[in-house]
Amino acid sequence: MTETSRTSQGRQAVTATANIPALGEAMLVVLDSLTDTNANNVKRQAVSALDGILAAINDDDALASFLPRVVSSLTKILTPSSSNRPSFRVVEQALGILTSLITRLLSDGKTKDLPDKASLGQSGDSTKVSRSTSWLQATASQIKIALANVFKLRDHDKPEVRQALLSLCLCILQDCRTSLSPCTSMATETIIGLAGHQGSSDSIEAQLKAILSANQNLSDVLRESLHGWIVALPRVMQSRDDRSRHRIIHQISVSLRLFEEDPTILDERLADSLRDGLSAVFADANGLEELDKSTPNAITDRALTLTSTKSSTFSPIALQFKGQDHMMAEFRVLVRELARSNSALTVAEALTGSMGSRFVETRLASFWLSVNLVRDITVTNPSVDDFMDRGMPNPREELLDDLYSHSLELLNQREPVADTPWYFFALALETVALQAKRYRTDFRGELSEVLYPVLHHLGSSNTALRAHALTCLNIIAEASEYPDAGELVVANVDYIVNAVGLKLAYGDVSPQAPQVLLMMMRLCGPTLLPYLDDLVDSIFDSLERYHGYPKLAELLFSVLKGMTEEGVKAPQLALTADGEEKHGHHQKKAVTMNDVIEALKKIDADTRKRDEEDKEQHASGEPFPQHPWADEKPPSNGAQNDPVNEEEDDHPPAPPTEESPPPAPRTFTILLKISSLTQHYLTTASPHLRNSLLSLLRTTIPALAQHENSFLPLIHTLWPVLLPRLQDPEAYVVSSALTIITLLCEHAGDFMRTRIEDAWHSITRVYTRTKQPDNTASPSLHMSAALETSMAKLSTTSTTDLNRPELYIDAPTRMIWTSLVACLCSIARHVTLRDDRFEHVLDMLDPVLARADVSEALAHANADALWLRLYKRSKRGDGGGKAVGSDGFFVGRVPGGKPGWRFVCV
Amino acid sequence: MATRPPAWPTSILRGHASQVHSVQFVCQNTRLLTGDADGWVVFWKVENKRPLAVWKAHEGPILGLAEWGPTRYITHGRDNALRVWRLDESFQRYSITLPAEPGEEYRTIPCLLHSLPVNTLNFCSFSMCYQHAQQRAQADRKGKANMSTTSVLSRDSILVAVPATDDKFVDVYQLPGESLKARTPRVQSVVTGMVMAVKLVRHQASQIILLLVGYEAGITAVFKLPRNCTGLAMETAQLMYLSNPHSQPVLSLDVSPEGDFYFTSSADAIVAMHHIPQPPPDHDEAYGSSEAPVFPFGPLVTLQAPHKTLDTKHAGQQSLRVRSDGRLLITGGWDTRIRIYSTRTLKEVAMLKWHKEGVYAVDFSTILTAEDVEVNEDEKTRFGKACQEINRRLANKEEELPSYVLRTLEILNQKLSEDEEAFKIMLRQAEEAYAFRVFMDRMGGRSRLLEAPDRQREEKTMVKHWVAAGAKDGKVSLWEVF
């Protein structure tokens, strides 16, 4: 056949009347074999044969008569279905045939001078079809149906097939615009679909671009349909059909990409459509947004940390539904495409204009779009402007500045409007990051305004927003060349203090401000403290106003506690207390043999000294000593200290060693202020708060004790409120209060004497409380054996071998008991007690006298009384082996002071 | 009047460890000087609210601060000294460890140019006025066109008024001459007590320098300085106006920019507005005539009622300032509030509350328009910027500078500290050399290096209407109002 068609005679012959039936037969066979066989080989041969036949038919009318059959057969092959999977070569070739067929018969050039009516003379001829306008119309509609199926091939995996399809589409669009006008839109869509099939790297796209730039016609067609899509965008976005929504976004983005080099005037329209489309998506999301807000986690749980993963890219803003996320992704793509076109800036400008809209969704959509647009513009146009002299301001940077100031407004809202969705803040954070990236180190100057808001959102209850804030912080740190976010915060802590201070000073009670403060404290350490004095005031003010809100109060106190914990680390206050301990607070009342000896020695030394001095004076004739007396003290001191292992401060007036303590540092003042302000809250209704206050005091007292002049007045202030805590209904508060008393005794020593004396009744009551629960049977002051042993067991570890069946003691009682023991020991060790009181202490501590620490402490006060008590106890012999054991243990230690004595175990 | 939400301070400057006694905007609002009761002075950059220089200017509390020309600053302390410092942060880095922080042993501090022993027994701050201020003001206003004719800049001698050794009088010194130029006479008609506040001002209409004084007895007086102290000998000021609006010592006074009205505040609750009478012309013209010595103390002036008074009901208005456009006045009081009044009606227009302890010092920033800011960039500042940039690069070891450039810079620096005129000539000459010009362009002025956000921010800072207030708690609050 191919051979025959080489010559014109041959062609003539083929379509000669006589040959028509044979030709038709052949055609039928070929087409049948094409459609009916399953063998790919046959199909391929059939296709080539078909190609040959068609090429050989010279007469268009003859060809037209075959057209319906050929097209339907080809369509059958080309329609993808599960049963029919022709090889891609077949498909490619079939598409080629279809293209050439359409070009030959239906192109505008061929069809424009068709007669209106079928010519009568030929109507009798059954084999030939007379081509006319009506024929064309009928054919076109048939072709449209066929093409609709064929175009499904656009997603074919083989580039060859897509290439062939493209030429088919192009042929329809270029050559058959009028003849096949119903198919145009379909073809356009297909082209776009083909172009966007695998991203912009596809060769089809490049090819298409080239064609577009050369062919005004085609690009007009395409632009028209683009306009149509853009207009349709908001409507489609509101439809429920996800697929169509995806498709339209895809189409727009691809066509925008195709028009990359071509200035299109669609901007205004585009901006509006985009915004409306996106706000439709947001509108869907908004209804359900509240859901994740209603699951608040406890405020105090969230410690602000900066050390977690260093994310430096924002995760996309997530909406409620997965589908919406896809939509957003599509929009992202669209925006990215848009950013490349020159119209991007105008679009973005139009969008920024509508950011002040009344509707939340619209505002959000505009904001989202402009932020993303600007970002993409920055990325895709690595600014030529930067290399040019800027005679006039750069529109992109102006736009970013606009956005930035808008974001700042958002972030710095004094009273955040409750119903502002978090997306706004997230977007604002993204803008800030963009600006930071733009200005690099110059951005440092902006930090005074920006840093706090970012940190503020780090304490948000919304996880995504938190992540955003963290990312933003990392980006800022990186852009402005700080080693990490922590350094960033430390270097700019003054700004944060300022912001937090203002928030607190004006009674802002959002939890973030204190949280940020706490985080700063941890990061910066005690050097920050001198700047915080007014913040402490503000915190106490808020406490006063909002004491009814336990969560908040707790948070504020955790900040205060953080401050004190950092504060005591300050170098001036972190002096080890050991040197100070021998301050002469603790005085023994009982005069020991040693004291007498010492006193005698001293008198002796004094007289001797005086004698010497007299002699000296006589010798030199000087009326007055030349050097200060203080110089002469060391030798005599040393002489006294050596033989006896006692401190010299047993002498009644402990000389004030330092003239005046160094002026207290500012940190100290703050600690003192915090501590003394606690007095007003120790009576608060919340036991938890009471306890945390006490533990706060526990932290500060050792540091404060360094400056006696202010420490003792503090005790004076605190004592009246502290004492009632011993009667607190909550056991742990009592226990904490006891601990505080312990500390006070330890640091203030004899200053506490009268206070302990006055408080004795309270302490006794605490004691009775500890034994009340299980001592109902014998309410006397003396312990029942059972309690005694159990107590001993619980509190000692060394005597666990002396087993007794344990009695249960509830935790609160045990807690109080432990603290009480410690407290009494501390009292005995540091404070002078009356004899009867000491007896009482022995009574109370009876069960644990055997413990090394207890006995040591008590021995400090009055070893003799202690010994006697132990002796009596062992005499009583109720404990049997146990008492002996413990006594024996003890006996070995006492003789330290009285080496000559021996005890006999009974 | 609709109630607005309470204003918030823009920022709190923390760093003083004791009471802040003086605040003063300088360098066209880009810097703020604050001085505290321990003698520390902090030179803040308003734009980023951080110190650029911190030094201990005096051993006693700072009483007053002022700016003298572009790089000289005057401090007045209770250690009986008035000091002038050169401070130019574009050439040198100073120590910036704030007084509240643990100190460092060695500090780089501004260099001391003058130290004038003065009496500071009372808490009266000094006041200064340019002796030849008129041309200067013009130069400032008219800007670039006139910049080339600013030869008067080198003649920027100033007059400084401080209480005299007998603290009922006021002495007027001239700087840099450090010579005593005038002294107020004893006010004869009333018992004034000691001087509590002084203010030197130029009466714009007559170009005569006036001295306003507030006394312990609540009396205030206006004196005229004869021949603006241009004479060689010490002269006696001439009393022009006397009023007794207050029952308590006058604490502060300030004058309208035109020099026609002034305001006094005292330990009582009254703010008084005084009209300054037209000063009589000097007798200079009639120097040879016999009329001059007839009234050596001027005509006898009796007590007059103030123009207007306002009983604020808040006793103890420690500090009072009038804004540079003369429309607002601000007071800071012991009641911890900062109040702003209209100067015309004396009506309270705003109350700023942040401090928890008494406010000791307040100041307005100068009102500048965008134009003022624009024209401000003359050779010197441009050079300064370039130097700043050079310093930065040298510090970062970013680039090697040609030794020739360094030498030129050195010479220029030297010239700048000696004489501005010479500096300018030198700079022009240096810029003749192509290499140097290219270099300077790259570094400062026209190049983009300093333009972008820094410059913008600075300009923004300059045109803002700031209020600064320092209080007993050692904090300085910075507000942006009206």
Side-chain angles (χ1 to χ4, degrees):
Chain A
M1 275 270 191
T2 326
E3 292 306 316
T4 21
S5 58
R6 286 273 161 76
T7 58
S8 52
Q9 294 95 330
R11 284 192 209 146
Q12 294 282 342
V14 170
T15 42
T17 326
N19 292 336
I20 288 283
L23 183 64
E25 191 69 17
M27 189 75 95
L28 275 181
V29 171
V30 169
L31 289 176
D32 279 347
S33 57
L34 187 61
T35 49
D36 295 345
T37 52
N38 281 328
N40 256 325
N41 233 347
V42 180
K43 279 190 183 178
R44 276 185 70 176
Q45 295 304 328
V47 170
S48 352
L50 184 62
D51 198 16
I53 296 174
L54 291 179
I57 298 175
N58 200 19
D59 185 353
D60 283 349
D61 281 343
L63 196 55
S65 67
F66 290 121
L67 184 69
R69 186 60 214 264
V70 174
V71 168
S72 78
S73 302
L74 284 176
T75 312
K76 218 179 253 175
I77 298 190
L78 292 175
T79 310
S81 71
S82 51
S83 62
N84 167 31
R85 291 206 163 276
S87 82
F88 74 93
R89 294 273 170 220
V90 178
V91 176
E92 185 192 355
Q93 225 166 344
L95 280 172
I97 295 170
L98 197 57
T99 313
S100 65
L101 204 56
I102 289 175
T103 325
R104 276 178 67 188
L105 289 177
L106 298 168
S107 68
D108 289 344
K110 287 275 171 64
T111 50
K112 70 172 175 246
D113 22 80
L114 279 181
D116 284 349
K117 293 258 167 72
S119 54
L120 288 171
Q122 288 180 329
S123 60
D125 195 340
S126 60
T127 53
K128 282 195 178 177
V129 174
S130 58
R131 292 178 298 151
S132 65
T133 324
S134 53
W135 167 81
L136 183 64
Q137 275 166 4
T139 319
S141 61
Q142 287 306 309
I143 294 274
K144 186 186 171 190
I145 296 168
L147 283 180
N149 285 322
V150 172
F151 283 157
K152 286 179 188 157
L153 276 176
R154 72 179 102 161
D155 290 330
H156 203 278
D157 344 317
K158 290 290 177 187
E160 290 85 351
V161 175
R162 292 203 303 274
Q163 188 67 46
L165 192 59
L166 176 68
S167 42
L168 174 64
C169 291
L170 286 177
C171 142
I172 292 171
L173 286 179
Q174 287 175 291
D175 301 338
C176 319
R177 278 190 66 189
T178 38
S179 54
L180 287 180
S181 56
C183 308
T184 345
S185 71
M186 224 160 52
T188 334
E189 274 182 35
T190 313
I191 284 187
I192 299 300
L194 283 171
H197 187 259
Q198 266 169 352
S200 51
S201 59
D202 209 314
S203 66
I204 292 184
E205 198 178 311
Q207 200 182 338
L208 203 54
K209 267 183 212 164
I211 298 172
L212 277 175
S213 57
N215 190 330
Q216 186 61 38
N217 258 348
L218 183 59
S219 71
D220 280 349
V221 173
L222 203 53
R223 190 164 305 153
E224 232 167 70
S225 44
L226 173 60
H227 186 254
W229 290 326
I230 288 174
V231 173
L233 178 71
R235 184 176 46 77
V236 176
M237 282 328 257
Q238 268 158 355
S239 79
R240 290 280 152 208
D241 180 7
D242 271 358
R243 281 203 48 211
S244 65
R245 295 202 273 186
H246 284 246
R247 202 172 60 225
I248 195 158
I249 289 178
H250 185 76
Q251 281 164 347
I252 294 180
S253 62
V254 172
S255 28
L256 280 174
R257 193 160 65 206
L258 289 176
F259 283 118
E260 203 167 272
E261 282 120 35
D262 193 11
T264 28
I265 316 298
L266 305 155
D267 313 330
E268 287 291 319
R269 196 60 227 164
L270 185 58
D272 287 354
S273 297
L274 278 175
R275 191 184 55 233
D276 294 348
L278 193 60
S279 48
V281 179
F282 281 128
D284 283 352
N286 268 348
L288 289 154
E289 191 202 0
E290 301 308 317
L291 270 184
D292 72 310
K293 273 192 184 164
S294 61
T295 52
N297 20 6
I299 325 164
T300 39
D301 292 354
R302 276 176 285 114
L304 297 179
T305 44
L306 296 173
T307 45
S308 53
T309 49
K310 270 196 85 169
S311 58
S312 50
T313 46
F314 289 109
S315 49
I317 294 178
L319 297 182
Q320 273 311 295
F321 309 116
K322 266 277 171 277
Q324 283 168 331
D325 282 347
H326 289 156
M327 202 77 65
M328 295 301 281
E330 289 286 335
F331 260 114
R332 279 296 285 123
V333 175
L334 176 54
V335 164
R336 203 168 294 149
E337 295 312 329
L338 185 59
R340 287 200 214 156
S341 73
N342 295 333
S343 54
L345 276 174
T346 16
V347 172
E349 262 162 34
L351 283 169
T352 6
S354 64
M355 274 191 312
S357 156
R358 205 156 47 85
F359 302 101
V360 181
E361 289 89 28
T362 321
R363 261 183 312 179
L364 187 54
S366 318
F367 198 15
W368 188 90
L369 283 167
S370 25
V371 170
N372 282 304
L373 255 180
V374 170
R375 186 195 356 247
D376 288 337
I377 295 171
T378 324
V379 173
T380 48
N381 304 2
S383 36
V384 188
D385 313 317
D386 286 355
F387 301 105
M388 296 196 296
D389 191 34
R390 304 179 313 156
M392 48 201 301
N394 179 339
R396 175 173 57 89
E397 298 193 340
E398 270 189 353
L399 198 62
L400 183 52
D401 283 340
D402 270 5
L403 276 179
Y404 178 67
S405 61
H406 179 77
S407 308
L408 269 191
E409 240 169 67
L410 259 176
L411 289 173
N412 278 327
Q413 271 169 350
R414 204 186 283 184
E415 285 140 27
V417 191
D419 58 347
T420 317
W422 67 272
Y423 310 109
F424 279 106
F425 299 117
L427 285 171
L429 288 171
E430 287 183 21
T431 320
V432 168
L434 270 183
Q435 188 83 340
K437 276 184 184 159
R438 171 180 153 202
Y439 281 137
R440 318 286 316 166
T441 40
D442 285 336
F443 193 71
R444 288 184 182 198
E446 294 287 324
L447 287 175
S448 66
E449 282 183 333
V450 157
L451 188 55
Y452 175 72
V454 176
L455 287 174
H456 183 90
H457 290 294
L458 214 52
S460 155
S461 55
N462 185 318
T463 343
L465 189 52
R466 226 151 55 211
H468 251 73
L470 190 61
T471 313
C472 181
L473 202 61
N474 283 332
I475 291 177
I476 293 177
E478 195 193 341
S480 46
E481 290 174 17
Y482 289 100
D484 60 39
E487 289 288 321
L488 170 77
V489 172
V490 172
N492 295 289
V493 80
D494 46 345
Y495 298 145
I496 313 173
V497 169
N498 187 38
V500 173
L502 284 182
K503 287 245 174 209
L504 289 174
Y506 288 97
D508 185 315
V509 286
S510 60
Q512 281 94 340
Q515 272 178 342
V516 171
L517 186 59
L518 192 57
M519 180 198 72
M520 269 177 350
M521 282 303 312
R522 299 275 181 239
L523 278 174
C524 298
T527 47
L528 186 60
L529 222 52
Y531 296 102
L532 298 181
D533 49 351
D534 60 307
L535 268 67
V536 175
D537 283 347
S538 307
I539 289 181
F540 273 98
D541 278 354
S542 336
L543 275 176
E544 201 158 309
R545 262 173 292 170
Y546 301 99
H547 58 83
Y549 303 84
K551 273 263 165 61
L552 181 71
E554 229 165 86
L555 178 65
L556 290 175
F557 267 107
S558 70
V559 174
L560 291 180
K561 214 167 148 220
M563 281 188 191
T564 56
E565 276 162 15
E566 292 298 328
V568 296
K569 286 187 207 156
Q572 299 99 322
L573 299 178
L575 291 173
T576 43
D578 51 8
E580 310 268 318
E581 215 181 335
K582 320 188 184 301
H583 229 340
H585 294 316
H586 102 264
Q587 293 172 328
K588 281 187 192 169
K589 196 171 39 124
V591 179
T592 59
M593 214 49 191
N594 284 321
D595 289 337
V596 179
I597 295 168
E598 238 171 74
L600 285 176
K601 270 188 186 166
K602 185 158 182 62
I603 293 169
D604 192 28
D606 281 355
T607 41
R608 238 183 297 144
K609 207 197 300 172
R610 213 172 297 130
D611 286 347
E612 279 167 23
E613 279 171 3
D614 283 350
K615 269 183 228 158
E616 266 176 35
Q617 276 182 15
H618 287 308
S620 59
E622 272 176 324
F624 202 74
Q626 272 290 340
H627 28 256
W629 291 318
D631 286 1
E632 296 179 14
K633 257 178 79 183
S636 60
N637 270 355
Q640 284 178 357
N641 269 349
D642 280 344
V644 257
N645 209 359
E646 278 279 353
E647 290 133 5
E648 52 146 351
D649 48 22
D650 287 3
H651 309 301
T657 42
E658 312 104 311
E659 309 72 41
S660 62
R666 270 171 87 95
T667 319
F668 178 82
T669 334
I670 289 180
L671 290 187
L672 185 66
K673 203 187 240 171
I674 294 179
S675 306
S676 56
L677 281 170
T678 49
Q679 59 172 308
H680 307 297
Y681 299 92
L682 274 174
T683 50
T684 172
S686 147
H688 197 115
L689 188 52
R690 290 197 299 263
N691 191 41
S692 70
L693 279 173
L694 289 172
S695 72
L696 187 153
L697 283 177
R698 197 158 58 212
T699 325
T700 54
I701 283 175
L704 291 175
Q706 313 264 327
H707 285 268
E708 202 174 57
N709 287 350
S710 38
F711 181 53
L712 299 186
L714 176 69
I715 297 180
H716 182 75
T717 335
L718 287 180
W719 189 253
V721 279
L722 187 61
L723 206 51
R725 291 305 110 224
L726 292 179
Q727 261 69 56
D728 201 280
E730 297 296 332
Y732 54 91
V733 178
V734 178
S735 162
S736 297
L738 282 169
T739 317
I740 299 292
I741 296 180
T742 313
L743 276 174
L744 288 181
C745 291
E746 194 176 305
H747 289 100
D750 240 13
F751 180 74
M752 297 295 291
R753 190 168 49 112
T754 46
R755 288 189 169 72
I756 296 289
E757 199 74 31
D758 295 343
W760 198 255
H761 183 60
S762 307
I763 297 176
T764 324
R765 272 171 65 186
V766 174
Y767 170 66
T768 25
R769 179 170 167 182
T770 58
K771 54 193 213 66
Q772 242 159 20
D774 45 6
N775 208 14
T776 40
S778 55
S780 72
L781 258 180
H782 287 288
M783 297 243 161
S784 73
L787 180 63
E788 176 186 333
T789 46
S790 57
M791 289 291 191
K793 243 191 73 53
L794 280 166
S795 46
T796 58
T797 45
S798 57
T799 57
T800 34
D801 52 329
L802 312 157
N803 265 324
R804 255 332 131 84
E806 271 181 42
L807 281 190
Y808 169 74
I809 297 177
D810 54 349
T813 315
R814 206 161 57 211
M815 194 157 53
I816 296 179
W817 171 249
T818 322
S819 320
L820 183 64
V821 171
C823 179
L824 288 176
C825 286
S826 168
I827 292 176
R829 190 188 282 269
H830 300 283
V831 183
T832 319
L833 277 181
R834 283 193 351 235
D835 276 339
D836 53 335
R837 297 288 190 229
F838 189 71
E839 282 298 310
H840 199 170
V841 170
L842 287 178
D843 281 345
M844 288 193 273
L845 290 182
D846 197 51
V848 290
L849 278 183
R851 268 166 58 183
D853 54 336
V854 176
S855 57
E856 197 195 334
L858 293 180
H860 219 268
N862 193 342
D864 295 340
L866 177 64
W867 173 80
L868 186 64
R869 171 59 59 105
L870 283 171
Y871 180 70
K872 272 187 192 161
R873 235 176 81 180
S874 56
K875 269 289 203 202
R876 234 188 297 143
D878 55 347
K882 175 195 137 215
V884 173
S886 51
D887 279 4
F889 169 66
F890 179 63
V891 162
R893 325 194 85 230
V894 167
K898 310 162 175 75
W901 297 13
R902 295 289 317 159
F903 294 101
V904 184
C905 301
V906 185
Chain B
M1 196 173 79
T3 49
R4 296 213 203 135
W8 282 22
T10 310
S11 176
I12 305 296
L13 307 178
R14 293 151 219 266
H16 282 292
S18 54
Q19 303 92 295
V20 176
H21 274 297
S22 182
V23 294
Q24 179 77 40
F25 281 100
V26 293
C27 296
Q28 296 202 309
N29 307 341
T30 57
R31 307 283 185 269
L32 178 70
L33 273 175
T34 59
D36 70 14
D38 293 336
W40 286 96
V41 174
V42 182
F43 186 67
W44 303 89
K45 187 173 183 179
V46 178
E47 181 194 318
N48 66 4
K49 285 96 186 168
R50 287 190 177 157
L52 286 171
V54 180
W55 78 103
K56 189 156 186 173
H58 293 274
E59 289 309 313
I62 301 287
L63 296 177
L65 300 162
E67 177 187 32
W68 174 16
T71 54
R72 280 173 291 186
Y73 300 95
I74 309 174
T75 64
H76 185 200
R78 276 210 84 197
D79 56 352
N80 295 322
L82 184 85
R83 295 194 172 129
V84 182
W85 308 83
R86 165 175 300 287
L87 188 160
D88 196 339
E89 83 277 358
S90 48
F91 298 123
Q92 206 182 346
R93 297 257 173 276
Y94 300 102
S95 303
I96 52 166
T97 314
L98 288 163
E101 284 170 35
E104 54 190 307
E105 294 82 42
Y106 180 74
R107 284 181 168 265
T108 331
I109 65 167
C111 78
L112 184 61
L113 297 180
H114 300 273
S115 187
L116 191 68
V118 294
N119 174 32
T120 51
L121 274 176
N122 41 7
F123 261 95
C124 174
S125 165
F126 76 107
S127 171
M128 74 155 247
C129 175
Y130 287 100
Q131 205 170 5
H132 309 279
Q134 195 236 342
Q135 295 92 328
R136 190 188 157 68
Q138 261 183 7
D140 269 356
R141 291 271 149 72
K142 301 244 171 84
K144 237 171 207 160
N146 276 3
M147 268 311 181
S148 49
T149 64
T150 48
S151 56
V152 286
L153 273 176
S154 54
R155 292 173 57 208
D156 60 346
S157 59
I158 53 166
L159 297 177
V160 168
V162 286
T165 344
D166 178 348
D167 55 19
K168 291 182 186 61
F169 304 132
V170 180
D171 281 348
V172 178
Y173 291 90
Q174 192 229 20
L175 283 177
E178 300 193 11
S179 53
L180 181 60
K181 285 293 184 186
R183 171 169 290 182
T184 57
R186 171 183 293 278
V187 177
Q188 278 157 337
S189 50
V190 284
V191 179
T192 57
M194 62 181 180
V195 173
M196 296 298 289
V198 295
K199 180 82 191 173
L200 276 174
V201 69
R202 178 175 297 271
H203 190 267
Q204 291 298 334
S206 64
Q207 289 300 319
I208 286 174
I209 298 181
L210 303 174
L211 172 63
L212 320 175
V213 187
Y215 292 100
E216 193 185 5
I219 289 170
T220 173
V222 177
F223 299 92
K224 173 174 104 72
L225 297 185
R227 290 185 295 282
N228 290 355
C229 296
T230 45
L232 292 173
M234 191 192 101
E235 299 186 67
T236 305
Q238 184 188 345
L239 181 66
M240 284 170 49
Y241 172 82
L242 198 60
S243 177
N244 186 8
H246 302 289
S247 57
Q248 297 283 324
V250 173
L251 290 178
S252 183
L253 54 80
D254 200 6
V255 67
S256 69
E258 291 304 310
D260 47 359
F261 283 96
Y262 77 104
F263 304 85
T264 53
S265 73
S266 88
D268 62 16
I270 286 172
V271 171
M273 179 183 188
H274 307 269
H275 179 64
I276 300 177
Q278 180 69 29
D282 278 317
H283 307 295
D284 275 7
E285 295 80 6
Y287 199 67
S289 81
S290 57
E291 271 180 88
V294 172
F295 303 109
F297 302 106
L300 190 65
V301 177
T302 50
L303 278 181
Q304 296 167 32
H307 182 71
K308 203 181 255 184
T309 57
L310 168 72
D311 186 0
T312 61
K313 305 209 169 56
H314 314 289
Q317 321 267 337
Q318 177 76 47
S319 179
L320 181 149
R321 292 286 176 102
V322 178
R323 199 162 74 173
S324 68
D325 63 355
R327 296 173 64 183
L328 294 176
L329 80 91
I330 190 167
T331 63
W334 299 343
D335 62 344
T336 75
R337 309 285 205 274
I338 303 155
R339 292 190 161 79
I340 300 177
Y341 301 91
S342 148
T343 47
R344 207 166 47 80
T345 59
L346 283 189
K347 203 176 255 173
E348 183 177 321
V349 289
M351 194 267 283
L352 310 177
K353 178 181 175 340
W354 182 85
H355 291 283
K356 298 219 168 58
E357 288 174 85
V359 177
Y360 283 177
V362 286
D363 193 23
F364 274 120
S365 63
T366 322
I367 303 291
L368 295 171
T369 60
E371 287 162 27
D372 290 334
V373 174
E374 200 60 45
V375 300
N376 163 262
E377 184 137 339
D378 61 352
E379 287 102 318
K380 205 194 128 272
T381 49
R382 223 185 73 218
F383 175 73
K385 282 187 161 187
C387 288
Q388 225 171 336
E389 180 62 24
I390 291 164
N391 280 337
R392 194 182 69 78
R393 292 197 183 188
L394 284 179
N396 294 354
K397 301 210 166 44
E398 271 176 37
E399 72 188 273
E400 284 283 306
L401 292 181
S403 61
Y404 142 76
V405 169
L406 281 179
R407 208 173 50 247
T408 318
L409 284 175
E410 211 169 280
I411 298 170
L412 278 172
N413 259 332
Q414 204 184 335
K415 287 284 175 213
L416 182 67
S417 57
E418 285 165 8
D419 180 6
E420 293 206 345
E421 244 348 84
F423 157 75
K424 275 174 192 158
I425 296 163
M426 267 300 295
L427 184 60
R428 295 238 170 76
Q429 280 171 357
E431 283 195 318
E432 298 278 295
Y434 177 73
F436 189 77
R437 195 170 71 234
V438 168
F439 173 75
M440 289 297 277
D441 276 0
R442 198 149 51 87
M443 288 300 179
R446 271 159 281 166
S447 92
R448 289 185 52 216
L449 285 170
L450 286 157
E451 286 258 319
D454 266 353
R455 181 70 195 152
Q456 279 171 20
R457 263 201 300 272
E458 193 171 289
E459 277 175 17
K460 242 190 259 170
T461 319
M462 287 161 98
V463 297
K464 273 180 186 167
H465 296 184
W466 296 104
V467 161
K472 198 180 169 190
D473 52 11
K475 311 267 188 297
V476 177
S477 58
L478 207 55
W479 310 70
E480 208 183 306
V481 275
F482 300 118

